[in-house]
Amino acid sequence: MGTSGRFDPAEAEPRWIAAWEESGALRADPASGKQPFTIAIPPPNVTGALHMGHALNNTIQDLLIRRRRMEGAETMWICGTDHAGIATQAVVEKQLAAEGLDRREMGRDAFEQRVWDWKAESGGTIISQLRRLGATLDYSRERFTMDEGYADAVLGVFVALHEKGWVYRDDYMVNWDPGLRSAISDLEVVNEEVEDTLVEIAYPLSDGSGEIVVATTRPETMLGDTAVAVHPEDERYGELVGTTCTLPLVGREIPIIADDYIDPAFGTGALKVTPAHDMNDFEMGRRHGLEAIGIIGEDGRITDAAPEAFRGMTVAEASTAVTQALRDDGRVRGETPYVHSVPFSHRSGERVEPLISLQWFADMTELAQPAIAAVEEGRLRFTPERWGDVYLNWLREIRPWCLSRQLWWGHQLPVWYRGEEIHVGREAPEGEGWERDPDVLDTWFSSALWPFATLGWPEQTPELERFYPTQVLSTARDIIFLWVARMVMMGVEFMGAEPFSEVNIHSVIQAPDGRRMSKSLGTGIDPIDVIEEHGADALRFGMLSMSSAQDARFNMERIEMGRQLVTKIWNATNLVLARDGKLGATTAPLTLADRWMTARLEAVIRRADELIAAFEFSALADAVYHVIFDDFADWYLELLKADEATPDVAAHILEQLLALAHPLIPFVTEECYARLPGAEGLMLQHAPPVAAAGPDPEAEQAIAALQDVVRGVRSFRADNDIAPREPLKVAVEISAGRAVPSAALAALARCEHVSAPAEAAQVQPIAGGRLMIEREGGIDTAAEIARLEDAVALAEKELARAEKQLANERFVERAPADLVAAEREKAERFRAEAETLGGQLAALRSDA
């Protein structure tokens, strides 16, 4: 345990992490009879290391878990990692390449074993880092999405959906990632603004009567065109619909068709149709029965379906070559720079190619309906609410989900083929000649089962019965579609209930310059480095303080605030112990200071309850900071040192503050609590603080008046360069009902409280009144005149600003009433201040 000198995070944190785990409190007991409270961690990739997004989200989750644990709930924080098919395979393939090896030469079984070996050696990094953050997950039940039991659940869901007819195999347009040589989902596609060239190409009419000009940013795909389309109401082309034109460079005759999809205002109003390489063209091709000719292969190169001159070229090479060939053939009618949105793979960074591919899909229509109803009927609530609308809009327009991925690492499809026969099942079919589909399932398919498969489903385990559904999901907005919506769909389908009732969408922490945090961009900040330098409590507090409903830039000053708060709590504990404060003794407030601090504590306790329920963690961090730093340490403990507060009451208030702050900053609060005589363990034994009493207006007004006077005296000393210990006499002129305790004033302001001002006293304005301050040896008249001149000028400036605001009719009519009232009060205050100081200044000048 740390000494009274200084709190040492590097020494205390590992000790408390071990103590919490060894206590057994992190392992949920389904037989306890307590009210369950469950959170499922968004499973980090097994390849991952802690980043600032993890630090924020897991601090939020740990705060909620610790709070409910202290309230007596049986808490289950589901722990585990995701197998991350694409990312993990890429890591291991990179290692193999460095060794001169290739997975295809190794074979699938050997490659999979190599991945498992890598996981055993390196896959536990992020879980160990979560421990360093202070995350109290149920580590004893750590799951992995490729665990044997979990894998069985995944395959079972695939089979069940297939039996319902919702999973099927089809030739369909997919997002093809040439870098990965795999299909990827719509949600793994990132659209970026790119400057291309809009090329206008003349297609000669087959009867020789003229030409029709199309506009495209992808001239290479014209090699696969099977039609030209125009809008049915476009009078320019009405007579051409139903005729044919000749495809340049290829010589194929293609029809001119009419379709409502065409925008007459884009380009020439005529669109080349390439059903094999554009989603909209694919749908148009199906409507009109057009052939789909694939001229771009899975390797991202031009196929043999194109003219020989272009075969084997990359897409970029073909774009240049086709454009030049069209120029040479006299078919280019215009070339214009054109900025538009282009799809790229979030995984490999390659430009996505829309390709028709034979894949396994899930029809999401039926699954989406109960997920929509969950929000519409109020069983599922998003915070902030706007993300519920985003979720609903996506579900209402949901498309088939491409489930298959052309990878080796992941859940291999439970599908076997023999000739034209297809078998879908948990086990291989009987008989010879069956071959299993080599593809694996999209990683997000297995992740969608996370809230119930982690608890043992499809077995009806005690954990599943007790801890499903979970209560809260905290996550980032970028996986609302990838993960959140899909968990809701799968939870309702297989468990009969939504997997959670609250979804907290936390802010994204950006780099200090506003860019995204990224190692590749050089903008990443390692949370472990911050923990090493400042401690986990400082990081946790800083991240909570930065978080809000909006994205926020990383701010090291907030981390520093957390470190300062840790130090302040430690020093406050030292002071209370030095004053012989004890727990379990007298806790009833005895003095005015005790009553005031008790009222302040209880107000913050009530506020904290509201903020936690609303997921307003930045405001929570701010409230906890100020009640400890300002009210308790800077004021109440100063009154304790002046014997104006009671040591045992101070110990009790400290205990309550430590319990209040514990979910945010667990290490220092646990360490300080353990030092209090009679303490028995904060996380394990202590309930969160409860506001038992109401406000204490008398005490609150008296201490507020005291604070105004002390601040006024301190400001006077600073303005006049008066030493802190130089004696002063102070007469207080303050509004009725605001009595100032003399002994407390003498102790905190180091001055004598007198009832009547001396004739030579100087004026110091304060809120709601003024101070008349007398120095021994009188005053420096010239300096005081200069000070008063500055003070009068400032008061008049503020008065003018307030009056200008009040003269603005739009402000008075439209601003909230309390804001207008505050501005009027401000004007009156500065008017009175200017008059008082002006009179004092005039008197000094007449005497000078």
Side-chain angles (χ1 to χ4, degrees):
M1 188 173 298
T3 67
S4 61
R6 186 177 69 88
F7 176 65
D8 182 3
E11 185 279 327
E13 289 170 3
R15 176 162 43 79
W16 282 112
I17 291 167
W20 293 328
E21 287 196 50
E22 290 167 5
S23 72
L26 277 55
R27 180 174 176 80
D29 179 6
S32 70
K34 299 178 182 178
Q35 181 72 25
F37 181 80
T38 312
I39 294 178
I41 188 175
N45 287 355
V46 70
T47 57
L50 198 71
H51 57 61
M52 284 300 177
H54 293 133
L56 171 60
N57 194 21
N58 285 283
T59 296
I60 289 171
Q61 293 171 77
D62 190 57
L63 184 158
L64 296 171
I65 284 286
R66 285 179 182 272
R67 173 78 177 197
R68 295 292 281 120
R69 186 186 289 121
M70 293 173 73
E71 290 173 355
E74 189 62 50
T75 56
M76 161 73 89
W77 188 4
I78 297 170
C79 174
T81 52
D82 190 278
H83 68 279
I86 293 173
T88 305
Q89 181 159 321
V91 167
V92 176
E93 286 203 73
K94 187 175 181 181
Q95 289 183 349
L96 293 175
E99 300 170 18
L101 299 174
D102 183 272
R103 68 178 170 93
R104 296 168 185 84
E105 296 172 0
M106 296 175 66
R108 184 169 192 144
D109 290 345
F111 177 76
E112 287 183 345
Q113 186 55 53
R114 180 67 181 258
V115 180
W116 281 108
D117 292 343
W118 174 87
K119 178 189 179 292
E121 181 179 340
S122 305
T125 299
I126 196 162
I127 296 298
S128 65
Q129 291 176 328
L130 287 170
R131 281 184 165 95
R132 292 205 60 185
L133 185 67
T136 50
L137 289 142
D138 189 344
Y139 296 105
S140 69
R141 289 188 174 95
E142 182 181 339
R143 298 303 304 271
F144 180 51
T145 53
M146 288 283 284
D147 285 347
E148 183 177 352
Y150 199 105
D152 183 61
V154 172
L155 300 186
V157 166
F158 183 93
V159 172
L161 294 177
H162 179 265
E163 289 173 350
K164 282 197 162 191
W166 297 348
V167 164
Y168 59 93
R169 194 180 190 217
D170 193 12
D171 282 302
Y172 199 75
M173 182 69 67
V174 299
N175 301 304
W176 188 264
D177 184 338
L180 295 173
R181 299 283 187 94
S182 176
I184 59 174
S185 74
D186 292 345
L187 303 176
E188 293 167 305
V189 174
V190 178
N191 291 301
E192 298 180 10
E193 292 293 305
V194 171
E195 182 172 321
D196 270 332
T197 300
L198 188 66
V199 182
E200 295 184 1
I201 309 168
Y203 288 25
L205 300 177
S206 297
D207 63 6
S209 63
E211 63 187 26
I212 185 167
V213 179
V214 301
T216 181
T217 58
R218 300 206 64 187
E220 71 281 4
T221 63
M222 60 88 63
L223 303 173
D225 284 1
T226 55
V228 170
V230 297
H231 195 276
E233 297 178 3
D234 192 335
E235 296 179 356
R236 293 172 295 176
Y237 304 112
E239 294 183 358
L240 297 182
V241 174
T243 65
T244 63
C245 59
T246 303
L247 186 62
L249 307 183
V250 179
R252 183 167 59 244
E253 284 199 5
I254 58 176
I256 299 173
I257 63 174
D259 196 280
D260 289 333
Y261 167 74
I262 305 304
D263 179 4
F266 176 76
T268 63
L271 184 76
K272 55 185 286 303
V273 182
T274 319
H277 298 294
D278 181 275
M279 175 56 74
N280 295 311
D281 291 8
F282 174 78
E283 297 291 352
M284 203 184 316
R286 286 198 163 185
R287 288 195 294 273
H288 294 272
L290 302 176
E291 182 183 4
I293 301 173
I295 55 92
I296 300 173
E298 293 181 353
D299 59 357
R301 293 180 177 272
I302 304 301
T303 70
D304 290 347
E308 186 174 356
F310 307 107
R311 294 172 188 169
M313 290 183 177
T314 65
V315 168
E317 291 167 346
S319 178
T320 301
V322 167
T323 303
Q324 186 57 50
L326 289 167
R327 292 192 196 106
D328 295 343
D329 201 28
R331 291 295 162 194
V332 174
R333 295 292 178 264
E335 297 180 65
T336 309
Y338 182 70
V339 176
H340 64 134
S341 183
V342 173
F344 289 85
S345 168
H346 171 68
R347 299 294 186 177
S348 71
E350 296 268 353
R351 182 167 178 162
V352 169
E353 290 295 343
L355 299 183
I356 296 174
S357 181
L358 184 58
Q359 302 281 349
W360 284 89
F361 293 87
D363 183 339
M364 308 302 291
T365 308
E366 295 298 324
L367 288 166
Q369 296 313 307
I372 292 170
V375 170
E376 290 182 335
E377 296 171 9
R379 293 188 301 277
L380 178 61
R381 182 174 72 98
F382 280 79
T383 302
E385 288 185 10
R386 67 179 183 275
W387 294 114
D389 294 333
V390 172
Y391 162 98
L392 287 173
N393 291 338
W394 181 74
L395 283 172
R396 288 168 181 153
E397 302 294 330
I398 199 164
R399 292 168 55 178
W401 179 6
C402 180
L403 300 179
S404 43
R405 297 289 181 272
Q406 288 63 57
L407 303 170
W408 282 0
W409 175 244
H411 300 98
Q412 191 172 354
L413 295 177
V415 178
W416 286 261
Y417 307 102
R418 185 169 65 183
E420 296 298 315
E421 293 181 87
I422 299 176
H423 172 79
V424 176
R426 293 172 181 263
E427 305 293 337
E430 295 181 359
E432 297 182 356
W434 291 96
E435 290 189 10
R436 189 169 185 177
D437 194 313
D439 291 352
V440 300
L441 283 163
D442 179 7
T443 295
W444 294 103
F445 186 86
S446 54
S447 300
L449 319 185
W450 186 251
F452 55 91
T454 49
L455 298 175
W457 187 91
E459 300 298 324
Q460 294 302 306
T461 64
E463 289 81 2
L464 184 64
E465 181 180 353
R466 188 68 172 155
F467 297 111
Y468 187 93
T470 71
Q471 277 66 54
V472 176
L473 175 72
S474 181
T475 190
R477 64 173 181 266
D478 57 350
I479 55 175
I480 291 175
F481 313 141
L482 282 166
W483 191 47
V484 179
R486 288 167 174 170
M487 280 193 292
V488 177
M489 288 187 272
M490 295 299 188
V492 174
E493 176 64 23
F494 291 97
M495 292 296 298
E498 294 83 10
F500 30 74
S501 55
E502 298 269 6
V503 179
N504 171 54
I505 302 297
H506 63 72
S507 55
V508 173
I509 303 298
Q510 302 167 333
D513 62 4
R515 291 184 293 168
R516 66 182 179 89
M517 283 201 175
S518 165
K519 285 185 178 180
S520 61
L521 294 176
T523 57
I525 299 173
D526 189 339
I528 299 301
D529 290 344
V530 177
I531 290 174
E532 294 282 357
E533 184 174 356
H534 299 283
D537 284 333
L539 174 65
R540 290 170 62 112
F541 178 87
M543 299 308 293
L544 292 170
S545 180
M546 287 176 228
S547 71
S548 66
Q550 306 293 329
D551 292 347
R553 297 185 179 190
F554 181 84
N555 185 347
M556 188 57 76
E557 290 181 4
R558 300 298 182 96
I559 306 294
E560 289 285 350
M561 283 178 62
R563 186 186 59 79
Q564 292 164 5
L565 180 61
V566 167
T567 301
K568 185 70 77 169
I569 290 172
W570 183 259
N571 291 339
T573 304
N574 289 341
L575 176 58
V576 171
L577 291 172
R579 292 280 164 171
D580 202 27
K582 300 181 184 66
L583 298 180
T586 301
T587 58
L590 301 177
T591 70
L592 195 66
D594 293 339
R595 289 166 51 198
W596 168 76
M597 189 62 228
T598 298
R600 288 294 306 124
L601 169 66
E602 297 210 345
V604 173
I605 290 170
R606 284 188 290 271
R607 179 70 175 141
D609 291 344
E610 295 168 357
L611 294 172
I612 291 171
F615 304 114
E616 294 183 17
F617 301 111
S618 178
L620 174 67
D622 184 69
V624 170
Y625 179 90
H626 286 293
V627 75
I628 293 174
F629 210 100
D630 300 339
D631 297 333
F632 185 69
D634 286 357
W635 288 101
Y636 180 71
L637 292 186
E638 290 301 309
L639 291 164
L640 177 66
K641 287 192 282 187
D643 295 325
E644 293 293 313
T646 311
D648 289 343
V649 175
H652 172 71
I653 292 172
L654 174 62
E655 175 193 27
Q656 297 297 298
L657 288 171
L658 293 175
L660 176 68
H662 176 75
L664 291 78
I665 46 176
F667 293 106
V668 70
T669 51
E670 192 79 84
E671 186 84 350
C672 289
Y673 186 74
R675 296 172 60 209
L676 297 177
E680 296 182 1
L682 188 53
M683 186 189 84
L684 303 181
Q685 302 294 333
H686 203 291
V690 177
D696 189 333
E698 180 186 10
E700 292 177 70
Q701 288 179 11
I703 299 300
L706 172 65
Q707 290 172 327
D708 289 339
V709 171
V710 170
R711 291 189 188 105
V713 173
R714 289 173 178 171
S715 177
F716 180 83
R717 288 183 186 275
D719 292 344
N720 292 279
D721 197 24
I722 300 173
R725 295 188 178 279
E726 180 179 325
L728 298 175
K729 292 182 179 179
V730 178
V732 179
E733 297 179 3
I734 201 165
S735 56
R738 301 187 74 204
V740 177
S742 297
L745 175 59
L748 270 59
R750 295 188 175 90
C751 63
E752 180 184 347
H753 186 193
V754 296
S755 57
E759 188 174 332
Q762 295 169 262
V763 177
Q764 177 67 33
I766 61 171
R770 64 177 184 168
L771 307 180
M772 306 298 292
I773 303 176
E774 179 184 355
R775 295 179 63 179
E776 288 188 5
I779 63 171
D780 181 335
T781 302
E784 179 63 3
I785 288 174
R787 186 186 75 84
L788 286 172
E789 286 174 341
D790 289 342
V792 169
L794 179 61
E796 289 176 343
K797 179 180 177 182
E798 290 298 321
L799 173 61
R801 193 204 61 77
E803 288 178 335
K804 182 179 179 182
Q805 184 79 314
L806 291 168
N808 183 337
E809 291 183 4
R810 292 187 64 184
F811 169 77
V812 175
E813 291 173 1
R814 299 185 182 184
D818 58 341
L819 198 62
V820 176
E823 202 66 29
R824 287 190 173 122
E825 185 278 329
K826 195 184 299 180
E828 289 303 317
R829 175 158 50 87
F830 285 119
R831 183 178 292 106
E833 189 173 305
E835 290 175 357
T836 299
L837 292 172
Q840 183 74 9
L841 179 61
L844 277 176
R845 282 173 173 164
S846 65
D847 293 340

